[in-house]
Amino acid sequence: MALINSAAENNITFVRPAYFIISGFIGIPNIRYYFVFLCFIYILAVVGNTLVMIVITLDRMLRSPKYIAVFNLAFTDLLSSSALVPKVVDIFLFNHYYISYNACLTFMFFCFTFISMQAFNLVVLSFDRVMAIMYPLHYQMRVSHKLILSLIAFFWLLAITLILIAAGLLTRLSFCKSVVIQSYYCDHGPMYRLGCNDNTPNRAIAGLSPVIIFGFPLAFIMGSYCCIGYSLSKISTFRERVKAFKTCTGHLSLVAIYFLPFTFVYIFGSVIHPNARIISLSISTVLPPMLNPIIYVLQTQEIKESLKKLLKTRVTSKINIQQ
C-alpha cells in the first residue's frame, strides 16, 4: 500500500502494454499431438472430479470432515484444470498467442490461486490423517466439520491474498521493452522480469510465495508422517500397523504426484532444455487433477462402496421403470 501511495504522490506513470505474447510451446516439433493429449487429460479430470463430488454429495455416509476436504480437493482440481487447459489449448492450438494485459493478469491469478489451493488441500488432508491415527478414540471430538471448514476457508483466503498481492505488484511495473512471455501461460516469474523499472517487490514476493505455497505444506506433511510413523511404532501387532497405514496410502500418493514433479523441475530446471522444462512443468500442473480422483476411487474403500451402491440403485431403478 505504501508503494502504491508513494507512486501516486510522485505522479509516476506506468507503461502498460496493450497485450502480451505467450511463446512457451512455439518451435517444438509435432506439438499439436501434445495438445490433443492435454485435451484428453482435461476431459478425464473433469469427469473424475465431478464424479467424486457427486458421490460425496449424494451419499450421507460420506459427510465426515475428511470427505469435506476430499470434496474441496476435487473442486479445486476441477477449477485448476478448467482455468489452465482450455486457455492453453486455445492459445497454441488455434494460434491466439496475443493476450490482453488485463486478461493476462486475470489468467495468472486464477491459475496460481487454484494451484496453491491444491497444495493447501493436501495439508488439510494430512492434518486429518495425523489426528485420526494419533488420536483414534478422540478423533471425532477433535476433528469437527467446523474445524475442517475453518481450515479450508483460511487457506482459500491465504491463497487469494497472496496471489492478489503478486498480481497487484505486477501493475506497478513498466513494460517498455519486450512483451514476450517465455512460458506456456501468464507465469509470474517471466512476467515480472520483463519490467524495466525497479522490480524488487516482485522478486521478494516471487521468493516468498514458493516457501508459503510449497515449502510450508511439504514440511508440514513430512512432519505429520513422522508423527504417524511414531504412532504406528507403538501399535503392538504388525497387521494393525499395516491396517492403519493403509488409510494413508491414498493421501501419500496425492502428495507424491503433486510435489515430486515440481521438485524435479525446480532442481533440474536450469540444466534441461527450456522446451523440455516448459513441457515438464505443464505436465506437472495438469496431471494431478486427473490422477487425484482415480487414486481416491481406487484406494478409498468408502468411495468405492458408495459408487457401487449408487450404480446398483441406478440399475435397479431402470429395471423397475422398464417393468
Side-chain angles (χ1 to χ4, degrees):
M1 185 61 72
L3 178 65
I4 296 174
N5 290 336
S6 64
E9 292 172 2
N10 295 328
N11 196 25
I12 297 174
T13 301
F14 297 101
V15 179
R16 295 171 180 169
Y19 56 83
F20 289 103
I21 301 173
I22 311 295
S23 65
F25 291 117
I26 297 176
I28 301 177
N30 302 316
I31 194 63
R32 287 181 177 270
Y33 297 109
Y34 180 67
F35 298 130
V36 174
F37 172 68
L38 286 184
C39 291
F40 177 70
I41 288 179
Y42 175 63
I43 292 170
L44 289 180
V46 170
V47 172
N49 287 293
T50 302
L51 181 63
V52 169
M53 289 190 292
I54 290 173
V55 170
I56 294 174
T57 303
L58 294 180
D59 193 340
R60 293 183 178 274
M61 300 298 293
L62 299 179
R63 301 291 176 85
S64 64
K66 172 186 174 181
Y67 287 104
I68 292 176
V70 173
F71 182 94
N72 189 60
L73 177 64
F75 178 64
T76 305
D77 285 344
L78 180 62
L79 293 178
S80 176
S81 296
S82 299
L84 181 65
V85 177
K87 186 62 178 177
V88 169
V89 171
D90 175 64
I91 290 172
F92 295 102
L93 192 59
F94 300 103
N95 300 326
H96 296 155
Y97 304 120
Y98 293 79
I99 181 170
S100 69
Y101 178 86
N102 289 330
C104 196
L105 290 180
T106 304
F107 186 26
M108 186 205 79
F109 169 77
F110 284 111
C111 288
F112 272 88
T113 299
F114 298 142
I115 291 172
S116 302
M117 271 309 300
Q118 288 176 325
F120 292 144
N121 281 326
L122 295 176
V123 171
V124 177
L125 287 168
S126 177
F127 171 77
D128 174 83
R129 287 301 83 208
V130 74
M131 296 299 288
I133 291 178
M134 291 188 69
Y135 308 102
L137 299 179
H138 303 93
Y139 169 74
Q140 292 185 341
M141 290 183 4
R142 290 173 179 264
V143 182
S144 63
H145 291 77
K146 183 178 179 181
L147 176 60
I148 293 298
L149 287 171
S150 298
L151 284 174
I152 291 171
F154 168 75
F155 282 128
W156 271 108
L157 183 62
L158 176 61
I160 290 171
T161 302
L162 191 63
I163 306 307
L164 271 178
I165 292 173
L169 289 174
L170 284 176
T171 65
R172 318 311 296 170
L173 292 178
S174 290
F175 298 91
C176 46
K177 297 179 182 178
S178 175
V179 293
V180 179
I181 299 174
Q182 301 290 336
S183 185
Y184 64 99
Y185 71 115
C186 293
D187 197 350
H188 178 262
M191 283 183 70
Y192 86 76
R193 293 188 188 97
L194 295 176
C196 54
N197 57 336
D198 183 25
N199 63 5
T200 302
N202 303 87
R203 283 191 286 111
I205 197 69
L208 180 64
S209 296
V211 175
I212 297 175
I213 295 171
F214 298 108
F216 162 72
L218 187 58
F220 181 89
I221 292 167
M222 292 175 66
S224 298
Y225 277 98
C226 288
C227 295
I228 288 173
Y230 176 74
S231 297
L232 292 178
S233 67
K234 291 184 175 181
I235 298 176
S236 57
T237 64
F238 177 76
R239 180 177 294 180
E240 289 298 318
R241 291 178 195 169
V242 172
K243 183 180 178 181
F245 183 73
K246 278 186 176 179
T247 64
C248 302
T249 54
H251 178 257
L252 275 173
S253 300
L254 301 185
V255 171
I257 288 170
Y258 183 82
F259 284 104
L260 287 181
F262 279 113
T263 304
F264 173 82
V265 173
Y266 180 79
I267 294 174
F268 299 104
S270 59
V271 298
I272 62 177
H273 192 276
N275 287 341
R277 178 184 176 277
I278 289 173
I279 291 178
S280 300
L281 190 59
S282 64
I283 291 176
S284 303
T285 307
V286 301
L287 272 185
M290 181 202 74
L291 294 176
N292 288 351
I294 297 174
I295 288 170
Y296 255 99
V297 169
L298 293 179
Q299 296 191 5
T300 307
Q301 189 64 30
E302 295 96 329
I303 292 183
K304 283 195 291 186
E305 292 298 326
S306 178
L307 189 57
K308 289 177 184 178
K309 185 171 66 176
L310 290 173
L311 291 174
K312 185 178 179 180
T313 303
R314 186 175 178 82
V315 171
T316 304
S317 63
K318 281 187 175 182
I319 292 174
N320 291 335
I321 291 172
Q322 289 175 357
Q323 290 177 350

